[in-house]
Amino acid sequence: MQASVLPPINEDPDSGRAAHLVATGDFNRDGIADIISAGPHVLSILLGKKDGTFQFAGSHRLNGDEPRALVVRDFNGDGNLDVIVGDEGGTIAEFAGNGKGELSAIGDVARVDSVVSIAAGAFTQDHKLDLIVSDQNSNSAIVLLGAGDGTFRQTWSFELPRKGKEYRLAAVDFNGDGIADIVITSDDDEGNYEVMLGMGNGTFTYAPQLSHLKDPNSYCPT
């Protein structure tokens, strides 16, 4: 069953940001979608039942109080879904699934200045899952290459379009070469998006023919 991330819920009226992030995936491999929820200081899992209800299955403490990104994929290659949570303070924590609806805290896979968004995809020819992080404080997108065992190493970064804005990332193979590419968007720039094509070595190059900018001269990443 394909994991998916749902829109944020319970928006904080003071900050305008989501109090909880929610994603779905089959964590106990019974063919029924389960729910994973990240809120201030806590990550919770609810297992889906055949009648459409959910049963609380446990929780883990998160070090940060404002999770901003939640990614569900099999990062260690054991066939079970794992979870990565990115916090506004820059902590990126990993939790490994055992296929029985239980998660184990692995620890922090990386620390950056801040986290706005995280996307997962195969950015190199080894086709192992990698991560790319949108970091508002450093105004950069940071690439973390995965070893296939749940560990990651920071390798490369590039500047995001404009300082002070929050940019969100998604990873998709736009040109059909088997390497994940990325699209960069911002809630403040409605209708604008930039596409960066993966080069197969964990780096990306700007693709103006696939991008849409109201002012094409406003941004030309390198």
Side-chain angles (χ1 to χ4, degrees):
M1 178 178 291
Q2 180 68 36
S4 61
V5 177
L6 304 178
I9 61 174
N10 296 343
E11 186 176 271
D12 183 339
D14 295 326
S15 67
R17 294 174 177 170
H20 289 81
L21 301 175
V22 176
T24 63
D26 186 3
F27 288 95
N28 58 355
R29 304 182 70 170
D30 64 354
I32 301 173
D34 310 308
I35 292 176
I36 190 83
S37 172
H41 298 295
V42 65
L43 179 72
S44 301
I45 186 167
L46 295 91
L47 298 180
K49 301 170 69 174
K50 291 182 179 180
D51 61 2
T53 62
F54 294 86
Q55 179 178 351
F56 178 75
S59 63
H60 289 268
R61 178 173 174 78
L62 296 174
N63 291 329
D65 61 359
E66 192 165 349
R68 301 297 307 278
L70 180 63
V71 186
V72 177
R73 300 288 291 271
D74 177 13
F75 293 108
N76 58 12
D78 65 354
N80 302 317
L81 290 178
D82 310 308
V83 178
I84 283 182
V85 183
D87 188 78
E88 184 182 46
T91 299
I92 302 173
E94 183 176 10
F95 298 83
N98 65 0
K100 300 178 182 179
E102 300 168 339
L103 298 174
S104 298
I106 302 302
D108 297 345
V109 299
R111 284 195 63 88
V112 296
D113 288 346
S114 65
V115 173
V116 171
S117 174
I118 301 176
F123 302 141
T124 69
Q125 297 288 348
D126 67 10
H127 298 293
K128 295 173 182 176
L129 279 175
D130 310 303
L131 301 173
I132 186 164
V133 182
S134 173
D135 182 343
Q136 182 183 16
N137 288 355
S138 68
N139 193 50
S140 62
I142 301 166
V143 177
L144 304 172
L145 294 185
D149 60 359
T151 62
F152 298 86
R153 60 186 177 90
Q154 184 173 331
T155 59
W156 189 66
S157 65
F158 60 88
E159 187 177 359
L160 290 170
R162 290 187 179 90
K163 292 182 178 180
K165 289 193 174 185
E166 294 187 349
Y167 288 95
R168 306 189 187 282
L169 310 173
V172 182
D173 181 8
F174 287 102
N175 57 359
D177 64 354
I179 301 296
D181 313 304
I182 59 171
V183 60
I184 305 169
T185 65
S186 171
D187 294 339
D188 296 332
D189 292 328
E190 185 176 354
N192 281 353
Y193 56 88
E194 296 92 36
V195 172
M196 306 281 286
L197 295 180
M199 304 303 292
N201 61 357
T203 66
F204 299 85
T205 186
Y206 179 51
Q209 72 278 13
L210 299 176
S211 303
H212 181 269
L213 297 173
K214 296 178 181 178
D215 180 6
N217 297 317
S218 64
Y219 173 53
C220 183
T222 56

